[in-house]
Amino acid sequence: MARADYLFTSESVSEGHPDKVCDRISDEVVDAFYRAGVTEGLDPWTIRAACETLATTNRVVIAGEYRGPASVDEAVITDVTRKAIKDIGYEQDGFHWENARIEVLLHGQSADIAQGVDSAGNHEEGAGDQGIMFGYACRETPDFMPAPIYYSHRILRDLTTARKSGKGPAAVLGPDAKSQVTVRYKDGKPVGATQIVVSTQHLDESLTSEDVRAIIEPYVTKALPEGWISSETIWHVNPTGKFVIGGPDGDCGLTGRKIIVDTYGGAAPHGGGAFSGKDPTKVDRSAAYAARYLAKNVVAAGLAERCTIQLSYAIGVAKPLSIYADLVGAEVDPGKLEFALQEIMDLSPRGIRTHLDLNKPIYARTSAYGHFGRMPDADGGFSWEKTDLADQLRSALS
């Protein structure tokens, strides 16, 4: 039996966190290939990119595989990397967008992988790797996300916006930050924050933890629902007392190390594969987006209070090996739902890319503050957050 009253905690990290700097760079590389493909009139279905980034003190190493426009060379990748670091806000002695040494070690995609992914003759385009992917949605927030991760992200997004404005007290904050919210659930519903953790880099070395709290508290209070913070809420702001050295200068960063931050904050299963730096032939990314899309539409259709979808794939095989739906607060038969989902959406790698229109330079924006719970963009970004299947699902299961 599910517990009705409990505490649950999720964390988020800012775009200036070392691992998120690497996610951003890796996704900028993917976008660079798609942008160049558009410019050169190349078929976007042929573009491949798998990019990993490491960042440390004034050093960035970019490695991986690709197939795409030859114009995306070392100079282009170096340029998009510097622009990304500058946009994040790093102009510090230990990590500076102008001075960091950037090493590019990309090479062509393996022919053995390509032959399983490409469609040819009677061979339909297969998955870029094996694996399991999960999607989740619930009614806890307006964007169908678990409350702890949703509000952890919101705190840092608001602080980042204030910092980048260059105005007001938040201008003294640095790019590197983390948040954590412990949410109290009563009768299965989120009702308040019992503990709030915010660690944020500050460029003024004289600031104390109390000074930093005075700066951030108004933003945190505004980010959370009214009434969630009370006199009983416990705050932990820069608990070590000082956070001046931050970003890759303070801690080495790697692509793909914040997979729970990227998804549901631990409130739902995770298949294990990271998203950033991968083109959508990699089902680690595209099928996870599809699973979220389906789960969100199930909940938006009123078919369940919470929905978890699992998809599984084998490298070079087009169709998913399995689909599993777990529902809470529903009268819909999960088996019938699983059948309906496959009828409504083609869940092959090509079908997912077509339905969600993923062959576009839309990935850098996903690299911080979660891949889910975001509003769809006019240019097709976050297309997996649409709820345009809800009516079809209701009809199919009525």
Side-chain angles (χ1 to χ4, degrees):
M1 180 180 295
R3 293 176 61 188
D5 301 335
Y6 57 94
L7 303 178
F8 194 85
T9 304
S10 294
E11 71 158 348
S12 179
V13 298
S14 72
E15 62 187 52
H17 184 279
D19 296 328
K20 281 291 147 197
V21 172
C22 294
D23 285 346
R24 169 72 177 272
I25 293 169
S26 294
D27 277 336
E28 291 284 3
V29 172
V30 175
D31 284 354
F33 279 106
Y34 278 111
R35 279 195 301 271
V38 171
T39 301
E40 298 177 24
L42 298 181
D43 181 358
W45 292 93
T46 65
I47 292 173
R48 305 282 185 268
C51 177
E52 311 290 343
T53 302
L54 176 150
T56 186
T57 301
N58 268 332
R59 183 77 181 271
V60 177
V61 180
I62 302 167
E65 306 80 49
Y66 71 94
R67 185 181 71 190
S71 61
V72 184
D73 56 13
E74 182 174 347
V76 170
I77 293 171
T78 298
D79 183 59
V80 299
T81 298
R82 294 198 189 282
K83 287 178 178 176
I85 297 170
K86 182 179 182 181
D87 180 67
I88 291 168
Y90 278 112
E91 295 185 336
Q92 300 164 18
D93 289 342
F95 197 68
H96 197 295
W97 66 273
E98 280 187 310
N99 303 330
R101 179 182 171 190
I102 298 171
E103 187 173 4
V104 179
L105 302 173
L106 292 173
H107 60 76
Q109 185 185 44
S110 162
D112 292 347
I113 293 175
Q115 70 179 355
V117 176
D118 292 339
S119 57
N122 294 325
H123 175 70
E124 187 178 353
E125 178 182 303
D129 202 353
Q130 72 174 49
I132 58 174
M133 297 83 207
F134 289 92
Y136 179 77
C138 62
R139 294 191 175 279
E140 293 180 16
T141 62
D143 292 318
F144 299 92
M145 288 290 287
I149 188 67
Y150 182 82
Y151 292 112
S152 293
H153 285 324
R154 189 168 175 178
I155 288 168
L156 293 183
R157 283 202 311 270
D158 290 354
L159 284 173
T160 297
T161 299
R163 170 180 64 84
K164 285 186 167 184
S165 73
K167 302 174 182 178
V172 301
L173 302 180
D176 194 357
K178 302 178 79 170
S179 66
Q180 189 167 286
V181 180
T182 299
V183 175
R184 180 182 298 281
Y185 285 77
K186 186 173 180 59
D187 297 327
K189 307 294 184 184
V191 297
T194 63
Q195 305 222 26
I196 295 170
V197 183
V198 178
S199 294
T200 180
Q201 186 184 17
H202 51 96
L203 306 181
D204 183 345
E205 295 195 31
S206 69
L207 295 181
T208 66
S209 296
E210 290 73 22
D211 295 330
V212 175
R213 176 172 173 176
I215 293 170
I216 69 156
E217 187 168 346
Y219 298 101
V220 175
T221 302
K222 186 176 180 181
L224 298 184
E226 186 176 354
W228 270 38
I229 297 176
S230 70
S231 59
E232 297 181 353
T233 301
I234 299 172
W235 291 71
H236 305 273
V237 178
N238 283 13
T240 64
K242 185 178 181 180
F243 188 1
V244 175
I245 301 171
D249 187 33
D251 190 11
C252 180
L254 290 169
T255 299
R257 281 207 299 201
K258 288 292 177 284
I259 58 177
I260 298 301
V261 171
D262 285 342
T263 54
Y264 309 102
H270 194 291
F275 303 155
S276 288
K278 298 176 181 177
D279 74 67
T281 66
K282 282 73 173 175
V283 285
D284 277 342
R285 181 168 221 160
S286 56
Y289 289 174
R292 160 65 178 177
Y293 176 63
L294 295 177
K296 186 173 181 179
N297 275 272
V298 168
V299 177
L303 302 178
E305 289 290 320
R306 298 200 301 270
C307 176
T308 303
I309 301 289
Q310 186 206 53
L311 303 173
S312 68
Y313 291 85
I315 188 169
V317 178
K319 298 296 182 182
L321 308 186
S322 65
I323 178 170
Y324 167 78
D326 181 52
L327 307 176
V328 175
E331 297 181 1
V332 176
D333 178 76
K336 291 182 178 179
L337 175 62
E338 291 161 1
F339 178 81
L341 293 175
Q342 295 177 85
E343 289 294 301
I344 288 172
M345 183 176 178
D346 178 358
L347 292 171
S348 69
R350 177 169 282 266
I352 292 170
R353 286 202 283 163
T354 300
H355 192 108
L356 298 179
D357 197 14
L358 297 179
N359 294 332
K360 290 182 174 181
I362 56 173
Y363 297 106
R365 71 194 72 172
T366 70
S367 61
Y369 314 117
H371 292 245
F372 310 123
R374 313 278 287 271
M375 291 296 294
D377 293 329
D379 66 352
F382 298 104
S383 59
W384 50 93
E385 291 297 307
K386 294 180 180 179
T387 55
D388 53 343
L389 294 184
D391 290 342
Q392 285 181 264
L393 283 169
R394 276 192 294 265
S395 297
L397 292 163
S398 61

